[in-house]
Amino acid sequence: VAKEQGGTFHFFTRLLMEQNIERSNLLNALHAALERDELDVHFQPKIDFAENKIIGVEALLRWRHPEWGMIAPDKFIPIAEETGMILKLGEWVLRKAAFQHKKWADLGFPINMAVNFSMRQIQHPRIVETIQSILQETGMNPASLEIELTEHTLIHSQHVSKLEELKKLGLKLSLDDFGTGYCSLRYLKDFPIDAIKIDRSFVENMTHEPHIAALNSTIIYLAQQLNYDVIAEGVETEEQVNLLMEGGCHLMQGYYFSRPVPSEQILHLLKNGIDQ
Ligand code: C2E
Ligand code: CA
Ligand code: CA
Ligand code: CA
């Protein structure tokens, strides 16, 4: 189809980027992708810089279409969310991540496994049972599972009890992209959250905007006072690492340490350390 319409792969990619591609085409392709084994999960390490070690990984979905190439999650996740397909996808990612966790744990690396969840998944009436059965099926220790939610996922207060049910399974909840919504720390207190992830935009701007650095230190301090773990995401430079350490944040994630990579590369990092 790409060739008929415009000749090149780039043409098609551009179409996709501009979201001019028919949504139904993308959705059909996504359904097929699951069957055709085009989907994969990559993992990005979470680092404790004070201890110089990997404390966990975040599972991130990848889709390589045979003609269109890599399609970013930002392009297809929103459509999967709208259509409800995210339920199937989310379950697939969780199962994949849980099996992977179990493999690493059996090799002596019982690191935390974080998985992103959409609002649709949290709203689903059988979400607790689904997670429970995947944990049983894979033998994954629930204490090693962390579910990442965004502020948008949490806007409904009726979700508090749902989250409390999830917590009873023994897993952890973290709030992703912290600072990008209108959610305040006070509001946060209503939800049984264990950790916050400082959004990349703050980390990016802290080195050239002193007030952002001050804001970050304040968020870090307040969050720690309220007993949340705090991790900074999108850390790309040594300067950012140093500023975060000064601000009291030693948990970090970002290209400075590693991009999201296939599981074999994570095992290599676990065996040889992050400096290698
Ligand atoms: P997110 O959960 O905020 O994930 C972090 C994103 O930032 C990832 O993009 C990651 O590759 C990227 N990133 C990490 N470190 C750096 C850095 O130092 N610099 C820069 N520039 N980027 C960095 P990715 O993998 O493209 O995922 C985008 C979003 O798609 C995720 O944002 C998440 O909201 C969503 N997503 C990915 N996988 C899943 C999934 O399995 N389920 C759900 N519901 N959403 C997912
Ligand atoms: Ca995330
Ligand atoms: Ca994030
Ligand atoms: Ca994000």
Side-chain angles (χ1 to χ4, degrees), residues 58 60 116 148 176-177 197 233:
E58 176 178 0
L60 291 156
N116 294 285
E148 296 193 4
D176 209 344
D177 302 347
K197 301 189 74 176
E233 58 177 2

Side-chain angles (χ1 to χ4, degrees), residues 47-240:
I47 309 295
D48 184 338
F49 194 75
E51 303 270 334
N52 195 34
K53 67 171 194 202
I54 297 175
I55 52 164
V57 291
E58 176 178 0
L60 291 156
L61 191 53
R62 294 289 176 264
W63 178 15
R64 185 184 291 282
H65 188 278
E67 290 165 48
W68 309 338
M70 281 297 241
I71 303 171
D74 288 339
K75 291 283 165 275
F76 64 89
I77 295 227
I79 293 174
E81 281 172 349
E82 280 170 47
T83 57
M85 204 207 161
I86 193 68
L87 295 173
K88 209 172 160 190
L89 273 185
E91 200 177 317
W92 184 86
V93 172
L94 179 61
R95 182 169 285 110
K96 197 97 175 164
F99 270 118
Q100 189 56 63
H101 169 83
K102 185 63 168 56
K103 275 190 207 159
W104 286 329
D106 289 347
L107 291 168
F109 305 105
I111 56 169
N112 282 346
M113 174 66 75
V115 179
N116 294 285
F117 268 56
S118 300
M119 163 118 89
R120 284 291 277 263
Q121 291 173 270
I122 297 296
Q123 280 173 330
H124 194 270
R126 296 189 52 79
I127 185 66
V128 178
E129 288 89 340
T130 302
I131 295 175
Q132 199 163 26
S133 81
I134 290 175
L135 288 169
Q136 270 160 12
E137 181 188 326
T138 58
M140 179 187 189
N141 178 2
S144 303
L145 178 60
E146 186 173 329
I147 291 182
E148 296 193 4
L149 306 161
T150 65
E151 296 184 18
H152 313 284
T153 319
L154 290 177
I155 44 179
H156 300 298
S157 53
Q158 74 254 32
H159 292 151
V160 173
S161 60
K162 196 58 147 315
L163 296 183
E164 273 157 2
E165 268 181 79
L166 286 179
K167 289 275 306 179
K168 282 192 198 127
L169 294 176
L171 48 76
K172 296 191 208 75
L173 299 176
S174 68
L175 192 55
D176 209 344
D177 302 347
F178 188 80
T180 56
Y182 49 81
C183 195
S184 68
L185 281 166
R186 184 169 153 268
Y187 171 79
L188 240 184
K189 269 177 41 184
D190 298 338
F191 294 96
I193 294 291
D194 302 284
I196 66 168
K197 301 189 74 176
I198 298 182
D199 190 65
R200 188 179 66 196
S201 57
F202 288 96
V203 174
E204 201 177 1
N205 294 323
M206 67 190 289
T207 46
H208 40 271
E209 293 181 41
H211 68 280
I212 298 278
L215 191 64
N216 268 346
S217 307
T218 309
I219 291 173
I220 293 162
Y221 177 77
L222 280 176
Q224 286 169 346
Q225 292 299 304
L226 294 170
N227 263 327
Y228 300 114
D229 282 340
V230 184
I231 181 161
E233 58 177 2
V235 179
E236 292 182 352
T237 67
E238 194 177 351
E239 201 184 354
Q240 289 166 346

